[in-house]
Amino acid sequence: MLDVATELFARRGYEGTSVRAISDEMGIESGSLYSHIASKEEILLEIVERTAGLFFAEAERAMATGGGAEERLVGLAGAHLTVVHESRAAVRVYYQEWRQLDRARQRQVIALRERYEATFREVIEDGTEQGEFKPLDIESTTLVIMSVLNWSLNWYLPDGRLGPKELARDLLEVVLAGLRA
């Protein structure tokens, strides 16, 4: 059900996708779908949380490799682009449709995003403290990096000449050139 809903939300948007459309795509009656879910919003929240989990899992794997701040930052970027590459529809829903959730659930999503972005901030801060990076505003630097990575959903071609990790290295080289001490 989540995979079907993810594809439909990514293609049609949350508002443009009815529970009936999801159940039709699954080949079941919409009443049958309601025996598994409380609401369409619940499906959206599950998709968003599952996608956030993908970003966290990849970031954790990248951080486990260790290394200096630059190496970890490139690893995090590669991990982020791996999720974008492998889960495009889910990432599109995660980026674009979370605002359709009620306020309390939006706050949950914002908290998840802030926790995820904190990993990037911590690496940048560590690099600054260790003298690898110039002492720049960490929030602004993180915002630039996250914006570059997130926007790649709109132009990155999964079957292009660069894989996610190579693309991360190239993209971050532009940022790192300005960060290096």
Side-chain angles (χ1 to χ4, degrees):
M1 169 191 54
L2 284 180
D3 292 339
V4 169
T6 299
E7 289 297 325
L8 289 173
F9 290 167
R11 268 197 335 260
R12 301 178 181 180
Y14 176 78
E15 290 295 325
T17 305
S18 65
V19 171
R20 179 175 301 278
I22 296 168
S23 60
D24 286 350
E25 192 75 21
M26 293 175 62
I28 63 172
E29 296 293 322
S30 58
S32 298
L33 188 57
Y34 276 114
S35 68
H36 299 285
I37 61 158
S39 67
K40 184 171 84 165
E41 186 179 30
E42 181 183 294
I43 297 171
L44 177 58
L45 181 62
E46 271 192 64
I47 293 166
V48 169
E49 288 177 337
R50 181 173 71 169
T51 306
L54 295 173
F55 281 116
F56 279 110
E58 285 297 321
E60 190 174 303
R61 266 193 283 283
M63 292 297 286
T65 63
E70 182 173 326
E71 188 178 344
R72 285 180 286 145
L73 191 57
V74 170
L76 281 172
H80 188 92
L81 291 179
T82 296
V83 175
V84 171
H85 172 76
E86 294 176 355
S87 305
R88 292 180 74 76
V91 170
R92 185 169 304 287
V93 173
Y94 178 76
Y95 287 171
Q96 297 175 349
E97 302 299 332
W98 70 277
R99 289 178 184 86
Q100 302 298 327
L101 296 166
D102 66 36
R103 292 241 187 249
R105 289 176 170 161
Q106 284 182 19
R107 284 192 294 276
Q108 284 177 277
V109 174
I110 290 167
L112 283 172
R113 286 180 175 203
E114 287 174 353
R115 200 173 99 220
Y116 177 71
E117 289 172 9
T119 307
F120 285 79
R121 280 192 300 276
E122 289 166 10
V123 171
I124 295 165
E125 189 171 351
D126 183 50
T128 302
E129 289 171 0
Q130 298 302 318
E132 279 187 71
F133 300 151
K134 293 177 190 173
L136 298 172
D137 181 74
I138 292 170
E139 293 297 323
S140 298
T141 304
T142 304
L143 178 64
V144 167
I145 291 169
M146 296 308 301
S147 296
V148 167
L149 296 175
N150 291 342
W151 190 250
S152 69
L153 177 68
N154 295 300
W155 55 262
Y156 176 62
L157 300 173
D159 56 351
R161 63 182 180 80
L162 295 177
K165 298 204 183 319
E166 296 81 17
L167 180 61
R169 173 42 105 182
D170 283 2
L171 290 175
L172 277 202
E173 184 56 36
V174 174
V175 175
L176 289 167
L179 266 177
R180 287 188 188 107

